[in-house]
Amino acid sequence: MSGQRTQEADPYFPANGDARYRVHRYELGLDYRPGPNRLAGTARLGAIVGRAPLTEFQLNLADFRISRIRVDGRAPHYTHRGGRLRVRPAKPLRAGAAFTVEVHWSGNPAPVRSPFGEVGWEELTDGALVASQPTGAPSWYPCNDRPADKAAYQIAVTTPSPYTVVTGGRLLTRTTKASTTTWLYEQSAPTSSYLVGLSIGRYQTVLLGDPGPGGVPQTAYLPAHLLTEFSRDFARQPAMMDLFQELFGPYPFGEYAVVVADEELDVPVEAQGLSQFGTNHVDGARSSERLVAHELAHQWFGNSVSIADWRHIWLNEGFAKYAEWLWSERSGGRTAHELAAVAYRMLGALPRDLRLADPGRKLMFDDRLYERGGLVLHALRAALGDPAFFRMLRDWAKVHRGGSVTTAAFTAHAARYADGPLDDLFRTWVHETALPPLPVPPTR
C-alpha cells in the first residue's frame, strides 16, 4: 500500500532514524551567514507516536551546540553524541499520541562522513548547497533521518540580501530588512529528509518555457556568466517534462527548480522539486542532457514514490536510468534498445556480484546498479509490450504517489499487467547476480 512504513531500523544505516514514531511536519527557521559559514536554526517538529508508548526517542543532528529543546512545551532530558540526539520527555508519550519537538541549535555546518565520502551541507566558495543522499540531512537540521519517514516542510532562511535561497517547494514570501532577506518556502508534499535540498548563492533567475494554464512552472538559478551555455544545455527540459508526464503521469509536485552552483560537482543531485548541477554539467554542447532527464525523472521515481529503506534503491536509480533511454528514444537519439545493449555489454565485462534486490551498503551507488536497474525495466517492457508497460508505470506512480515502496511491492504491481508469470524475469534480473540474456526489442 502507498504510505507503508517499515517499523525496523534501516539495515544499511541502523544509527539513522527512529521507527517508533513519525514526523508529519517540519517548520525550520534558519539564519545563515556565508562569510563565517555560521548557521543558527530553530526547528518545530509535529510528530505521532507509533504503536507503543515512548519513554525516549531519537533524532539525528550533527555536532552543533544545542541551546534549547522542548517536547510538548516541557524541557526533556537529552544527550547528544555522535550525531544522535536522544530525548527523554518529562512524561512518557502514549501510543498514537501527537506531540511536538522544538530544537534550537547553532554552529558551523559541515558535511557528515558516510561510506561514500562527505555528504550534506557543503560550504562553497561563495554560498552553500545541501546534497544529503543518503545520510546528510542531519548536517544542517534535526530530523528522523530515514527515507520512509516523509513529512511536509516549511523552511524560512535568512541570509545577506545579495544571495538567492532555493529549496524545493513554493516560495511564499521574500522579505528584506536592512541588509538581509528572509525566504519562506512551503513543501506540502510528503518529503524524505535526505530529499530536502537547499542552495544559497548569487544566482540569476531564468524561467524555462511557458507552463501555460495548469502547466508546471520550471525555474532555473545559475551564475550569470553561464547563461548562454545553460540556455542551450537545458533548452529541451520543458519537452522532457511533457514527455515524462505523457509516459509517467502528471508531475507530482507544484513546481520544479534547477540550480547550477558556481562550482564543479561530481554528479548532479536530486531533491524534492529541485535538482542541483555543477558548472561542469554546463558546456553549451548538451553533453549532460541525459543527466537533466535523469534528475527530472527522479521527481516521479525516488522522490514522490520513495523507497521504504535503502535496500530498494534500484527502484530510484534503475527507473531514472531507463527514463534517460526513453528520452533519447523519443527525442531523435539512440533507441532504448540500443542503449540497453550498450549497458548490457558494459555489465558483461564487469564482475557479477551485485544483487539488485539487496545490493548491500557498499554497492548501493555502484554504476552496475543503475545500468542493471534500467535493463530490468527494458526486460519488463519487452515482456509486457508498450501499452501495458507504460500503463503499469503510470499506475505505479499514481497509486504510490507520496508513499514508500519495496521491491516486493513493485514485482506484485508489475505482475498485474502481464499475460503470464514474471517470476523468472524478476528472479534472474533482480534477485540473482548472473547476467540473463539481453531482452529482445519490444514489439511496437
Side-chain angles (χ1 to χ4, degrees):
M1 291 290 293
S2 179
Q4 275 184 316
R5 295 173 186 272
T6 53
Q7 297 300 315
E8 304 82 27
D10 190 290
Y12 292 0
F13 302 99
N16 282 61
D18 189 333
R20 296 171 296 177
Y21 73 98
R22 60 185 178 89
V23 183
H24 60 83
R25 182 172 176 82
Y26 291 82
E27 294 177 357
L28 306 179
L30 308 173
D31 188 296
Y32 180 64
R33 304 304 156 117
N37 185 40
R38 183 75 179 170
L39 178 68
T42 64
R44 181 179 174 85
L45 286 61
I48 297 173
V49 181
R51 300 188 187 120
L54 276 186
T55 57
E56 56 91 27
F57 61 90
Q58 174 187 302
L59 290 164
N60 294 103
L61 180 64
D63 187 22
F64 290 99
R65 186 176 70 85
I66 295 175
S67 57
R68 174 185 171 95
I69 296 184
R70 294 290 183 269
V71 177
D72 289 337
R74 301 178 66 181
H77 176 77
Y78 70 90
T79 60
H80 185 208
R81 295 189 197 92
R84 301 172 86 168
L85 179 57
R86 299 180 184 274
V87 181
R88 192 167 74 234
K91 53 185 286 188
L93 303 168
R94 60 183 174 78
F99 67 103
T100 60
V101 185
E102 184 183 330
V103 182
H104 296 221
W105 74 100
S106 61
N108 300 103
V112 295
R113 287 192 297 274
S114 84
F116 318 100
E118 295 186 324
V119 294
W121 188 285
E122 184 176 347
E123 182 185 8
L124 303 178
T125 305
D126 190 17
L129 67 79
V130 169
S132 289
Q133 190 174 15
T135 55
S139 68
W140 64 291
Y141 74 100
C143 56
N144 190 10
D145 191 31
R146 52 199 303 266
D149 195 21
K150 303 173 73 169
Y153 281 78
Q154 186 178 90
I155 302 176
V157 182
T158 301
T159 199
S161 293
Y163 292 87
T164 298
V165 174
V166 187
T167 187
R170 187 159 61 98
L171 178 63
L172 300 181
T173 60
R174 187 177 66 189
T175 309
T176 299
K177 293 181 180 176
S179 61
T180 64
T181 299
T182 299
W183 304 69
L184 178 64
Y185 284 86
E186 175 80 26
Q187 175 58 273
S188 57
T191 305
S192 301
S193 52
Y194 84 91
L195 288 170
V196 184
L198 181 68
S199 191
I200 300 170
R202 300 175 191 259
Y203 298 131
Q204 180 162 334
T205 304
V206 175
L207 300 179
L208 286 166
D210 178 6
V216 180
Q218 298 175 64
T219 310
Y221 303 86
L222 62 144
H225 67 88
L226 289 177
L227 184 57
T228 300
E229 293 87 348
F230 176 90
S231 297
R232 175 168 171 76
D233 290 338
F234 283 74
R236 302 209 291 182
Q237 184 181 284
M240 291 177 190
M241 179 69 79
D242 292 342
L243 175 64
F244 290 169
Q245 290 196 98
E246 173 195 331
L247 299 181
F248 309 148
Y251 178 74
F253 308 116
E255 53 285 298
Y256 183 56
V258 294
V259 171
V260 179
D262 200 3
E263 206 143 315
E264 292 195 359
L265 301 181
D266 289 342
V267 292
V269 181
E270 77 271 13
Q272 192 100 325
L274 165 70
S275 295
Q276 303 188 81
F277 297 81
T279 55
N280 49 313
H281 301 121
V282 178
D283 62 4
R286 296 211 303 246
S287 302
S288 296
E289 189 174 80
R290 71 171 186 85
L291 300 175
V292 177
H294 185 103
E295 303 309 325
L296 176 58
H298 270 314
Q299 303 305 321
W300 284 264
F301 306 117
N303 298 7
S304 174
V305 181
S306 299
I307 49 175
D309 64 60
W310 292 106
R311 289 174 297 185
H312 311 287
I313 189 170
W314 82 272
L315 293 172
N316 294 2
E317 301 303 346
F319 281 56
K321 172 59 69 174
Y322 200 63
E324 295 177 29
W325 302 352
L326 291 171
W327 166 250
S328 174
E329 178 172 276
R330 293 288 290 266
S331 64
R334 287 186 287 180
T335 66
H337 187 68
E338 289 169 336
L339 291 167
V342 172
Y344 190 85
R345 286 194 297 272
M346 186 198 87
L347 290 175
L350 294 172
R352 311 210 182 144
D353 59 354
L354 181 141
R355 190 164 71 95
L356 275 189
D358 188 359
R361 188 168 78 171
K362 184 179 178 183
L363 297 179
M364 60 184 278
F365 293 118
D366 193 287
D367 285 347
R368 292 172 295 165
L369 180 136
Y370 291 60
E371 305 294 344
R372 188 169 181 132
L375 284 165
V376 173
L377 274 296
H378 196 60
L380 274 173
R381 186 180 174 190
L384 300 179
D386 276 14
F389 174 75
F390 287 109
R391 191 166 66 249
M392 181 274 293
L393 278 188
R394 285 191 294 272
D395 289 350
W396 176 248
K398 179 180 178 181
V399 170
H400 296 285
R401 179 170 174 160
S404 303
V405 295
T406 63
T407 297
F410 179 66
T411 57
H413 173 84
R416 291 195 279 272
Y417 298 80
D419 293 332
L422 296 176
D423 299 14
D424 285 349
L425 186 155
F426 282 114
R427 176 179 53 78
T428 56
W429 279 105
V430 177
H431 294 282
E432 295 179 355
T433 59
L435 192 59
L438 177 68
V440 297
T443 54
R444 306 195 69 80

